[in-house]
Amino acid sequence: MSKDKNAPAAAPSPPVSNFIRQIVEADLAAGKHAGVAWAGKPGPAAAHAGAPPDAAKIRTRFPPEPNGYLHIGHAKSICLNFGLARDYGGACHLRFDDTNPEKEEQEYVDAIVDAVRWLGFDWGPNGYFASDYFDFMYEAAQHLIRSGHAYVDSQSAEEMRASRGTLTEPGRDSPHRNRSAEENLDLFRRMEAGEFADGAHVLRAKIDMASGNINLRDPAIYRIRHATHHRAGDTWNVYPMYTFAHPIEDALERITHSICTLEFEDQRPFYDWLLERLAEGGLLAKPLPQQIEFARLNLSYVVLSKRKLIQLVQEKHVDGWDDPRLPTLAGARRRGYTPEGFRAFAERIGVAKADSWIDYGVLEECMRDDLNARALRRIAVLDPLKLVIDNYPGGQEEECLAPNHPQQPELGKRAVPFSRELWIEREDFAEAPPKGYFRLFPGNSVRLRYGFVVKCTGCDKDASGNVIAVHCEYLPDSKSGTPGADAYKVKGNIHWVSAAHAYRCEVRLYDRLFREANPGAGGRDYLEDLNPNAKQVIAAQLEPALRNAKPEERFQFERHGYFVADRVDSKPGAPVFNRAVTLKDSWGKG
Ligand code: ATP
Ligand code: MG
């Protein structure tokens, strides 16, 4: 934890530069995109012709495929794209890349909207669906056919694979490569009309079967799929391939900087080839978008693959997409992580060209820093043991004043009730204290934080020897905040809640989802590395004010960590709490 962990949140520091910011700044200086006309909505060259130059200096986009919930890796991309638009006077689009009819659902669209908003970003009028461009894409494909840049191949998938060549060997031309434009157009239209079965034909770009870049060996651009699309319904029998659709989506939206993860680096030549061909034909306006790759986030102790996240949810290893153990943003939100913490995390990890792993502790540290600055302090006893103050009159009660935030006195104090019987943490009593133990043991005195000094006189046990109550006597003139209280010097300082007033409730203690830093490393099934203790449910005794916590209100439970009132399971007047992150320090343990 940083030295100034208790300081209020500092003003945000200016963003750290990185290679993408340098590209953007150079483009701005050169006026590369100064003439990017924007007709107010995405469209082909004709739509933008004559449109006034746009106020947005750059355009980025976040393009999720709605086939899963967003995760912490996506947060990096969201912060990067929306952050660039914010910092350079641009616009960032939210575009659902819904070109694959089979795996996409409205539930995912809604969850993605929620998550991006929650992170604090706004796309204004620029929310789009790739499926709205299907007509244009179909036109573009026909244009490529007419100009000799695409053909219908009728080989089987296996034949195509076999003739693709390898990294060291060139591919072989398909026997259908030299079909006439008329024949290709006819076949493609019949593919779309539904005359053929899935896989009978594909439309391929005609580039170079001998290219050193396998992605340029006549990649497939359209395939037959008799499937119902979540938005387009049964309109289409052909669907564009991602690598064909994505550059077109960017160009129609006049994206200036199309930022993606490194695995698309080898696709960039095709991205550029395709857009150049369509611009040549007058379908797209220049300047064209530029693809820029950065290293994706790899985070230890979690998995960030959609396939694995879907498996964890569907096989019920967790309780749904918003399970606080999951690295989904919906899960992180329920867990008590904050948007500010995620934005700070994105800044801290930066943007680079080379793959690397970030330790999960870095994310926890960002959350802790943010929560420390903003969460009010409350008292919670998580493993309750009864403390009886034998010389305090039964039926009497009084108030003790506890600061809401010790580093921010302006946040004031609150009254916590004190009475004869309290709950304390079981670990704050030891019948036979180990060396260096300064908390309660027979004969020792401690301060009940914000209350009195008490001296331990003994304990009660059940038949099997378990301690069921601790006894003590209090010193009436030792109350915190009263004159003379400071005269009492004790080493232990423990927290407590009044038993008669406490709010007993469910608290979920969450921990890392996997016990291994790299789940599934060395060929193991990653499911074997699940941490069985990632969720513990306990019955805790909380200070009474916590009864009124609103869903998503976050607190520091003193000495325990940061907790949030669960946004799903809390009821008015009966919140339940989730632990977001522990405190790293061990305040009060001395
Ligand atoms: P899929 O395999 O379904 O494509 P994906 O993780 O790439 O999975 P998308 O919905 O395509 O999911 O991702 C949307 C955007 O988020 C993309 O631009 C992608 O590059 C980015 N993204 C995804 N995972 C990460 C990650 N771990 N770190 C940074 N960016 C990511
Ligand atoms: Mg993707």
Side-chain angles (χ1 to χ4, degrees):
M1 188 170 290
S2 54
K3 264 202 310 295
D4 60 346
K5 71 180 177 66
N6 287 327
S13 40
V16 179
S17 190
N18 58 50
F19 76 98
I20 297 182
R21 286 180 177 271
Q22 285 162 13
I23 293 172
V24 169
E25 284 164 19
D27 288 348
L28 285 172
K32 179 175 171 191
H33 300 286
V36 177
W38 170 246
K41 59 177 178 10
H48 298 295
D54 182 30
K57 295 203 176 78
I58 61 165
R59 270 178 203 282
T60 55
R61 86 286 173 267
F62 174 64
E65 186 182 344
N67 62 354
Y69 277 56
L70 297 184
H71 55 59
I72 300 173
H74 293 118
K76 174 176 179 178
S77 177
I78 293 167
C79 292
L80 172 60
N81 281 293
F82 281 92
L84 288 170
R86 176 198 59 211
D87 295 344
Y88 294 102
C92 182
H93 298 188
L94 175 63
R95 179 205 310 144
F96 291 99
D97 210 330
D98 58 348
T99 50
N100 180 349
E102 271 134 359
K103 296 183 190 155
E104 296 161 1
E105 287 174 27
Q106 187 61 35
E107 177 196 349
Y108 297 135
V109 171
D110 297 340
I112 290 168
V113 162
D114 277 355
V116 179
R117 284 224 175 94
W118 178 73
L119 279 178
F121 297 108
D122 184 4
W123 50 95
N126 296 308
Y128 303 113
F129 286 88
S131 54
D132 288 341
Y133 313 143
F134 280 168
D135 283 325
F136 180 88
M137 291 175 190
Y138 186 65
E139 281 301 315
Q142 293 182 81
H143 170 80
L144 291 181
I145 293 174
R146 278 192 297 268
S147 56
H149 293 304
Y151 62 98
V152 173
D153 196 354
S154 311
Q155 297 183 98
S156 69
E158 235 155 77
E159 287 167 330
M160 265 185 269
R161 215 172 298 124
S163 60
R164 240 184 132 203
T166 63
L167 284 175
T168 49
E169 271 174 56
R172 287 188 317 278
D173 286 3
S174 162
H176 310 289
R177 198 171 195 265
N178 292 317
R179 277 175 167 155
S180 69
E182 290 68 37
E183 191 185 351
N184 282 320
L185 276 178
D186 176 61
L187 280 170
F188 186 50
R189 286 179 190 151
R190 288 164 59 202
M191 285 163 66
E192 167 13 50
E195 287 188 28
F196 306 115
D198 286 8
H201 306 280
V202 292
L203 185 67
R204 297 176 75 174
K206 191 172 181 177
I207 310 179
D208 178 7
M209 287 305 290
S211 171
N213 182 341
I214 292 187
N215 298 297
L216 292 180
R217 292 182 190 169
D218 295 6
I221 58 178
Y222 254 99
R223 58 185 177 149
I224 303 172
R225 273 288 176 282
H226 294 277
T228 303
H229 186 275
H230 80 122
R231 292 184 81 241
D234 294 321
T235 314
W236 296 94
N237 293 307
V238 289
Y239 286 93
M241 304 298 288
Y242 177 83
T243 47
F244 173 78
H246 198 82
I248 293 179
E249 296 157 21
D250 285 343
L252 290 176
E253 293 179 16
R254 309 243 63 196
I255 299 302
T256 57
H257 301 85
S258 172
I259 298 164
C260 62
T261 40
L262 280 180
E263 67 272 22
F264 291 102
E265 193 163 14
D266 291 344
Q267 289 289 352
R268 184 168 11 105
F270 178 66
Y271 184 105
D272 293 338
W273 178 91
L274 174 64
L275 295 187
E276 282 295 340
R277 298 293 80 75
L278 297 178
E280 266 167 25
L283 278 77
L284 295 176
K286 288 198 167 184
L288 294 166
Q290 177 189 0
Q291 176 179 307
I292 304 167
E293 308 86 20
F294 73 104
R296 66 172 46 239
L297 170 66
N298 297 305
L299 194 61
S300 64
Y301 295 97
V302 295
V303 291
L304 294 181
S305 137
K306 274 189 195 163
R307 187 181 58 74
K308 289 177 181 164
L309 294 176
I310 288 175
Q311 183 182 18
L312 289 170
V313 172
Q314 286 180 349
E315 294 179 6
K316 301 205 187 318
H317 299 287
V318 294
D319 310 324
W321 280 105
D322 64 353
D323 187 301
R325 288 168 288 185
L326 277 186
T328 54
L329 295 178
R333 175 176 182 178
R334 252 189 102 177
R335 176 142 172 185
Y337 285 11
T338 66
E340 293 83 356
F342 275 113
R343 298 202 297 264
F345 176 66
E347 277 297 321
R348 193 175 308 183
I349 61 179
V351 175
K353 261 281 186 204
D355 264 319
S356 67
W357 280 79
I358 302 292
D359 189 79
Y360 196 78
V362 176
L363 177 65
E364 291 180 317
E365 195 63 27
C366 290
M367 295 304 161
R368 208 177 267 128
D369 284 354
D370 181 51
L371 289 163
N372 177 54
R374 297 187 303 125
L376 297 185
R377 274 50 176 168
R378 293 290 181 265
I379 301 165
V381 176
L382 301 186
D383 185 12
L385 174 63
K386 190 63 77 66
L387 178 71
V388 183
I389 305 165
D390 290 302
N391 62 340
Y392 194 90
Q396 181 173 314
E397 61 179 76
E398 64 191 282
E399 289 181 339
C400 298
L401 289 178
N404 287 320
H405 197 302
Q407 287 78 43
Q408 297 176 53
E410 67 279 12
L411 294 175
K413 295 186 174 191
R414 67 198 185 281
V416 290
F418 182 88
S419 65
R420 186 171 193 267
E421 296 198 357
L422 310 177
W423 294 111
I424 60 167
E425 296 292 346
R426 185 163 289 274
E427 63 164 32
D428 285 342
F429 172 75
E431 200 180 7
K435 197 166 174 291
Y437 187 90
F438 297 117
R439 289 168 277 166
L440 278 176
F441 56 87
N444 193 40
S445 296
V446 301
R447 178 168 295 280
L448 298 173
R449 196 157 161 86
Y450 315 125
F452 296 91
V453 171
V454 293
K455 180 171 187 174
C456 182
T457 54
C459 63
D460 301 333
K461 293 183 186 176
D462 65 11
S464 30
N466 301 311
V467 176
I468 50 170
V470 177
H471 288 270
C472 67
E473 290 182 348
Y474 86 120
L475 304 170
D477 57 349
S478 66
K479 189 174 182 180
S480 292
T482 59
D486 292 345
Y488 294 92
K489 300 286 179 222
V490 288
K491 286 190 174 163
N493 189 334
I494 67 174
H495 67 272
W496 50 274
V497 294
S498 163
H501 302 86
Y503 169 46
R504 182 176 191 275
C505 86
E506 178 176 315
V507 171
R508 296 85 169 254
L509 303 178
Y510 290 107
D511 211 328
R512 296 178 183 191
L513 180 56
F514 291 93
R515 52 189 165 191
E516 294 292 328
N518 189 355
R524 271 189 321 275
D525 179 355
Y526 78 100
L527 293 173
E528 284 175 30
D529 293 334
L530 277 168
N531 172 9
N533 301 321
K535 176 183 183 183
Q536 285 180 59
V537 180
I538 59 168
Q541 299 283 357
L542 312 184
E543 72 168 87
L546 285 167
R547 221 180 239 120
N548 301 318
K550 304 272 174 301
E552 294 209 79
E553 244 187 299
R554 304 180 185 95
F555 301 96
Q556 184 196 86
F557 288 177
E558 293 192 13
R559 296 171 70 202
H560 289 304
Y562 297 95
F563 291 72
V564 66
D566 189 278
R567 64 191 288 254
V568 176
D569 298 330
S570 294
K571 309 247 170 352
V576 297
F577 290 89
N578 300 330
R579 182 172 71 197
V581 61
T582 53
L583 294 176
K584 204 168 169 184
D585 58 1
S586 47
W587 170 83
K589 291 275 165 81

